[in-house]
Amino acid sequence: MHSTMNKKSTSVGILGGGISGLATAYYLQKTGCAATVYEQADSVGGAIKTTRTGDWLVEEGPNTLMVKSHRIWQLLEELKLNAKIIEANSLAKRRYIVKNNHPVPLPDSVLSLLKTPLFSAAAKLRLLKEPFIAASDEEDESIASFIRRRLGKDPLNYAVNPFVSGVYAGTPDELSVKHTFSALWELEQQYGSLFKGLLKKERSKDKPKRALISFTEGNQLLPNALAGQLEHPVQTSTAIQSAKFQDQRWQLRANQSGRSIQASHDLVISTLPAYSLADIFGSEFRSLSSIPYAPVSSLALGYRKDQVQHPLDGFGMLIPAAEDYD
């Protein structure tokens, strides 16, 4: 719609001051666009929120960031956050999965895969078929369909299902593999096999460093750093009430700290939940309200070190749906 517009003079309004909205504004600014972010809360970050209570630092949302691309490492360097990065303890690299009421470490090597009680002997033999299974010619499929087709039932139930539940708060039967496990999807499309693709990727000389990280001041440091780099300050405590396209521009009406304000932009980008769009943009977006959003509750518990008998050689414990816990 605005392809003929000079990007140097393009004014962009971004709805939502979470990580998506802030990153969008940051990179648009690098192209010369004037981007303004509008955020309903009184601070940026969206679901990424860090609270400090006395000596306790609590993450109310995601507690780690998995960095596995050159672009993210470059972004952290641009934001001057390298000195504040904390990498997860290598001694705690195990992931525990519950089976038969007991935590079992997820296999992280061929030897541990052969020994793990998470998969039956038949399931382990089934994995040997993976390199010989033809790639799908479908445009997309569910995570469950993809994993079941390529790896079998046990890896789906006791590896992928708890991971999907922990990361996406969803179920493998309802999520797109192409858009959630894009790396696996691309391995099949490019190499015809996950195992073949992983072996070739492992030999790649341009492989970026992978690390599970947080920051000395908590994860909210990242959105705060992005907001601090924006030439136009984020408009916090600003709830967008309507967005209408009139006279070749988007007219925004908002409530900012109890007073009504208006703004005008050439382009508007929304990073808000789909169910909120109909009230802002009009009834033609009403159908998006049916998109499901999984509710997530976060509970933080603190213990003295002398109260913990476990060696703490793991990074979390997940319960598969197959264990039927309520």
Side-chain angles (χ1 to χ4, degrees):
M1 173 167 62
H2 301 289
S3 58
T4 60
M5 190 175 299
N6 182 349
K7 68 178 182 181
K8 293 296 183 183
S9 62
T10 302
S11 169
V12 182
I14 299 175
L15 313 188
I19 192 66
S20 297
L22 295 168
T24 300
Y26 178 76
Y27 284 105
L28 281 174
Q29 180 176 283
K30 294 178 78 171
T31 71
C33 291
T36 302
V37 178
Y38 299 91
E39 168 56 43
Q40 181 173 350
D42 59 5
S43 62
V44 299
I48 303 176
K49 187 173 182 180
T50 304
T51 301
R52 182 174 288 281
T53 303
D55 293 333
W56 299 98
L57 188 145
V58 177
E59 298 290 1
E60 298 186 22
N63 52 32
T64 53
L65 169 65
M66 171 57 79
V67 185
K68 53 185 178 180
S69 76
H70 294 298
R71 292 185 67 183
I72 301 300
W73 286 119
Q74 181 182 347
L75 173 63
L76 295 175
E77 185 176 351
E78 290 176 7
L79 297 176
K80 297 179 173 57
L81 294 179
N82 287 349
K84 298 184 178 182
I85 289 175
I86 303 174
E87 292 194 23
N89 191 331
S90 60
L91 298 177
K93 62 182 179 180
R94 287 184 173 183
R95 304 293 190 273
Y96 283 94
I97 306 294
V98 172
K99 186 168 187 180
N100 298 328
N101 295 322
H102 294 286
V104 179
L106 194 66
D108 59 359
S109 67
V110 174
L111 182 60
S112 63
L113 176 62
L114 294 174
K115 292 182 176 181
T116 182
L118 287 175
F119 309 149
S120 67
K124 294 170 187 176
L125 287 173
R126 165 69 174 77
L127 293 175
L128 298 177
K129 293 175 57 177
E130 196 280 333
F132 307 100
I133 296 173
S136 171
D137 57 2
E138 295 292 329
E139 179 64 26
D140 196 3
E141 62 184 313
S142 71
I143 298 173
S145 171
F146 180 88
I147 297 298
R148 194 182 294 115
R149 177 171 58 81
R150 297 220 63 91
L151 301 176
K153 184 176 69 173
D154 278 17
L156 171 63
N157 289 341
Y158 283 96
V160 175
N161 174 280
F163 176 82
V164 169
S165 175
V167 173
Y168 295 103
T171 64
D173 291 291
E174 297 176 345
L175 294 175
S176 155
V177 68
K178 186 176 180 180
H179 296 286
T180 52
F181 282 17
S182 59
L184 294 184
W185 171 265
E186 290 166 6
L187 285 178
E188 183 189 56
Q189 296 299 306
Q190 187 172 354
Y191 301 103
S193 161
L194 304 186
F195 290 163
K196 290 177 184 176
L198 288 171
L199 285 173
K200 291 185 178 180
K201 288 279 188 180
E202 190 66 29
R203 297 179 189 138
S204 172
K205 295 180 180 179
D206 192 37
K207 189 173 63 172
K209 174 186 174 183
R210 292 173 60 96
L212 195 63
I213 70 168
S214 183
F215 303 95
T216 54
E217 299 167 34
N219 284 335
Q220 199 169 358
L221 182 67
L222 177 57
N224 286 345
L226 279 168
Q229 292 294 314
L230 301 180
E231 295 175 3
H232 295 267
V234 176
Q235 301 298 297
T236 54
S237 301
T238 303
I240 300 297
Q241 296 175 316
S242 68
K244 299 185 183 299
F245 192 64
Q246 297 175 339
D247 301 325
Q248 300 302 307
R249 287 176 69 81
W250 284 94
Q251 311 299 328
L252 301 182
R253 186 170 59 85
N255 183 300
Q256 185 178 68
S257 300
R259 63 188 182 92
S260 181
I261 66 167
Q262 291 187 336
S264 177
H265 297 282
D266 300 307
L267 182 67
V268 167
I269 298 173
S270 174
T271 65
L272 300 176
Y275 55 76
S276 67
L277 298 185
D279 291 337
I280 295 173
F281 290 93
S283 58
E284 59 268 32
F285 287 86
R286 190 73 63 191
S287 60
L288 297 181
S289 301
S290 63
I291 296 176
Y293 280 75
V296 176
S297 297
S298 177
L299 175 65
L301 300 174
Y303 300 91
R304 297 192 311 270
K305 191 172 183 180
D306 59 13
Q307 294 177 295
V308 181
Q309 304 302 315
H310 192 279
L312 299 179
D313 60 347
F315 195 90
M317 182 179 72
L318 297 169
I319 303 175
E323 289 295 293
D324 197 26
Y325 273 72
D326 292 325

